[in-house]
Amino acid sequence: MVEKYLPEKLLYIDGQARETRSSIKSKISELKPYILSVSNRYDIDSNLLTAILIDEKLRLSVDDLIDPFQKYLDLNLTVGLAQIRATTAKEIIYQGYYHPNPEDSKLKKPIKNKDLYPYLTQRDKAVYFAAAIIKSIMDKKLLDSPTDNLEIAFYYSHGMNASFDHKKVYIRQKQIINEFYNFSIALLE
């Protein structure tokens, strides 16, 4: 049976319908074991991790078509399900939060961006990198989920050097911690 694409069955980014809820549900259900495992490992909120992954998945666009070139070139674009830059992944590895394959000689200092591409595009490893980034944000900014979920979501999408202003309204982050967070609760049950 063909699903009817009613507005309540779609997920939107900036007013544009991006994907069906059932499609995201299917993708998250495949990742659920990784999400729950890594959330437990890093002591982070699994619903926040899932909400951020949903947001990143929905924001994939035409510019992501050049992602495969990163395995040949030393580019620093966001890639994979969690939309992580190679420079961010290197920081996570160097700081000891997560290493996708300690046996890979190419992942020793200094790591080339292109050598991280295969790991950043593997969905399970992308989940682990995303969780490690969240844990890194919590540690460095002395944040504690869930009271600081808006701030954690802000730093995930803007980077650690961005300035968070408690007086400012962050539409993207509010969507993550409200709409996508609530959706993730149902997905992870």
Side-chain angles (χ1 to χ4, degrees):
M1 182 168 113
V2 176
E3 179 179 4
K4 293 184 180 178
Y5 296 111
L6 302 173
E8 65 273 6
K9 293 191 175 190
L10 297 170
L11 291 168
Y12 294 80
I13 295 289
D14 300 327
Q16 299 291 316
R18 298 304 289 250
E19 201 159 334
T20 64
R21 288 179 173 274
S22 62
S23 172
I24 292 293
K25 180 180 180 179
S26 173
K27 289 173 178 127
I28 294 299
S29 68
E30 294 171 15
L31 298 172
K32 184 177 174 179
Y34 301 112
I35 291 168
L36 295 176
S37 172
V38 76
S39 296
N40 188 47
R41 173 181 173 182
Y42 288 108
D43 193 26
I44 63 169
D45 183 341
S46 59
N47 294 309
L48 178 61
L49 172 59
T50 304
I52 288 172
L53 291 172
I54 291 169
D55 178 71
E56 294 296 342
K57 169 68 176 104
L58 292 175
R59 289 180 184 280
L60 292 175
S61 62
V62 176
D63 66 336
D64 293 298
L65 294 174
I66 64 169
D67 284 355
F69 293 107
Q70 292 194 68
K71 62 183 160 189
Y72 306 109
L73 306 170
D74 210 31
L75 302 174
N76 188 38
L77 306 173
T78 59
V79 295
L81 170 72
Q83 289 295 282
I84 298 170
R85 290 185 187 283
T87 51
T88 303
K90 285 192 272 188
E91 287 175 30
I92 292 301
I93 292 169
Y94 295 157
Q95 293 166 6
Y97 282 97
Y98 174 65
H99 198 299
N101 184 358
E103 304 303 314
D104 187 339
S105 62
K106 291 180 181 177
L107 296 186
K108 307 281 187 226
K109 271 188 175 181
I111 300 172
K112 293 181 181 175
N113 293 349
K114 66 181 182 177
D115 293 331
L116 278 168
Y117 177 81
Y119 296 102
L120 294 173
T121 55
Q122 291 176 39
R123 296 174 71 190
D124 60 332
K125 301 227 184 313
V127 171
Y128 275 82
F129 269 115
I133 291 168
I134 292 170
K135 182 62 173 172
S136 169
I137 291 166
M138 292 171 65
D139 288 351
K140 292 176 186 169
K141 297 294 182 179
L142 301 175
L143 301 173
D144 185 24
S145 180
T147 57
D148 297 313
N149 281 350
L150 181 70
E151 228 172 312
I152 294 167
F154 172 83
Y155 288 117
Y156 187 94
S157 56
H158 292 283
M160 292 293 287
N161 295 326
S163 296
F164 182 81
D165 182 352
H166 288 279
K167 297 175 190 165
K168 193 172 177 182
V169 175
Y170 297 100
I171 295 169
R172 177 179 182 181
Q173 285 69 39
K174 285 192 179 278
Q175 185 176 27
I176 291 169
I177 65 163
N178 292 322
E179 179 185 352
F180 300 154
Y181 188 94
N182 290 332
F183 185 38
S184 73
I185 292 170
L187 296 178
L188 295 179
E189 287 182 340

